Amino acid sequence: MHTPLSILDLAPIVEGSDARSALLNSLELARHAEALGYRRYWVAEHHNMDGVASSATAVLIGQIAAATRQIRVGSGGIMLPNHAPLTIAEAFGTLATLFPDRIDLGLGRAPGTDGPTMRALRRHLSTAAEDRFPEDVQELQAYLAPAREGQVVRAIPGQGTEVPIWLLGSSLYSAQLAAYLGLPFAFASHFAPELLMQALELYRGQYRPSERHPRPHAMVGLNVIVADSDAQAAYLFSSLQQRFLGMVRGRRGPLPPPVDDMNARWNAAEAAQVARMLAESIVGSPATVKAGLAATQARTGADEFIVACALHSQAARLRSYELLAGLA
């Protein structure tokens, strides 16, 4: 398998633990990922969720970059409707100034939370904030670009850093915008896989080359869990299945420990819904996962995979990424 591998981390808070442990686990995993040769380590912005500790995304990125030496660190993503573009430009401009040529800025169009929390994050915007996404992306690009004559508002630090911008999405909207702007694109198929193939086709088919990105670059999000056996990996996977079952039922909380039998936890309709949401998951022994990745690569033509692996056990998570890196 030769497709580059990156890591997506939500700093999961697991049952029986706390946010401090989750953040320290992320730092440990990032150092582990760098030693194993992963290309990027991205963290995702979510808010008001008991099971996610990566809400102050830029702060965590700075800590991870400081704890590592060369792996690229970034956001997967920053939820642009929650923030003024200038604020993001200053934060990521500061990161890029401290850690040159190591910072990525992935941008999402959704708020990554509920309506009341979104209003608390950016009070002056209406619920139509998502409709400003293209304008906000271009405003942010302008703040990170070299200074223009007569420019009144500047991001300092930020101006001239040209932090690489990615667009993230789980629908066709960001695929179209990324193609129009000539930007790399990452599809969130690790939780919303239905439109993956259509989005990739649209992105590649409509891509307009840009100076920085003459060719399209598509990254595909996957859940990947590798263990010594298929049975052990399936057992570990049940934590993520329980988390998605909670989403189906409108309940959120810390990541639960694995269980031996999910059939005792859900009904047939719930099982089918969770299976649809987690369809882009590859779970098993190294041989099983290697075959699954090869099949996914053949189907999607991905330029890169970004892998999520939410496990209750930090030791099992470190081991899964170690086994996965060994397949490259």
Side-chain angles (χ1 to χ4, degrees):
M1 184 190 70
H2 302 293
T3 309
L5 294 171
S6 296
I7 290 177
L8 177 64
D9 182 18
L10 276 67
I13 302 171
V14 304
E15 283 188 13
S17 189
D18 55 23
R20 175 177 170 79
S21 296
L23 295 172
L24 292 176
N25 285 344
S26 290
L27 294 176
E28 181 183 26
L29 178 57
R31 289 189 289 266
H32 190 60
E34 180 171 71
L36 292 170
Y38 283 88
R39 175 174 285 189
R40 311 173 201 277
Y41 193 101
W42 283 6
V43 293
E45 177 187 348
H46 292 281
H47 299 278
N48 196 24
M49 295 185 182
D50 291 336
V52 176
S54 56
S55 55
T57 313
V59 176
L60 182 54
I61 289 169
Q63 292 295 309
I64 291 171
T68 53
R69 298 184 62 183
Q70 59 187 22
I71 191 171
R72 297 195 67 88
V73 186
S75 58
I78 289 290
M79 299 296 106
L80 188 49
N82 296 338
H83 312 280
L86 178 60
T87 302
I88 299 173
E90 290 172 337
F92 278 78
T94 299
L95 290 168
T97 301
L98 290 169
F99 307 102
D101 199 31
R102 291 187 57 204
I103 302 300
D104 295 326
L105 175 51
L107 300 172
R109 178 173 171 256
T113 186
D114 54 81
T117 306
M118 182 182 174
R119 287 189 289 275
L121 286 163
R122 199 175 177 188
R123 295 168 185 267
H124 63 285
L125 287 188
S126 71
T127 55
E130 289 184 21
D131 295 337
R132 280 195 47 83
F133 186 67
E135 292 84 358
D136 283 352
V137 170
Q138 292 176 302
E139 182 181 345
L140 179 51
Q141 286 180 303
Y143 288 135
L144 297 172
R148 305 183 310 278
E149 185 176 353
Q151 185 172 353
V152 176
V153 179
R154 297 173 294 157
I156 304 173
Q159 178 180 283
T161 57
E162 297 185 289
V163 179
I165 290 177
W166 294 63
L167 295 192
L168 283 55
S170 58
S171 68
L172 305 183
Y173 183 97
S174 290
Q176 290 177 298
L177 184 59
Y180 180 78
L181 295 177
L183 292 173
F185 173 61
F187 193 85
S189 37
H190 60 292
F191 72 86
E194 290 87 353
L195 296 175
L196 170 61
M197 298 306 298
Q198 191 175 348
L200 292 177
E201 181 179 0
L202 188 154
Y203 170 63
R204 291 170 178 144
Q206 296 187 9
Y207 191 78
R208 303 196 320 170
S210 60
E211 181 178 353
R212 191 163 188 176
H213 305 286
R215 291 177 299 278
H217 185 98
M219 180 153 58
V220 172
L222 302 173
N223 298 294
V224 179
I225 296 174
V226 197
D228 293 327
S229 69
D230 288 350
Q232 178 67 10
Y235 171 73
L236 295 172
F237 185 48
S238 67
S239 290
L240 190 60
Q241 290 172 314
Q242 290 177 81
R243 166 167 279 181
F244 275 71
L245 176 60
M247 293 167 60
V248 169
R249 294 175 174 175
R251 303 172 190 164
R252 297 180 183 270
L255 185 71
V259 295
D260 290 317
D261 183 15
M262 281 300 298
N263 290 326
R265 305 269 169 162
W266 55 23
N267 60 41
E270 290 171 332
Q273 190 168 350
V274 170
R276 285 194 298 272
M277 297 167 73
L278 293 175
E280 293 296 343
S281 300
I282 305 173
V283 178
S285 67
T288 298
V289 170
K290 185 172 185 177
L293 288 171
T296 304
Q297 168 59 34
R299 176 167 50 90
T300 65
D303 297 294
E304 192 170 341
F305 290 131
I306 188 161
V307 174
C309 176
L311 297 179
H312 188 271
S313 163
Q314 173 72 351
R317 187 161 68 140
L318 295 173
R319 176 65 172 159
S320 180
Y321 280 117
E322 182 178 342
L323 291 171
L324 177 60
L327 302 179

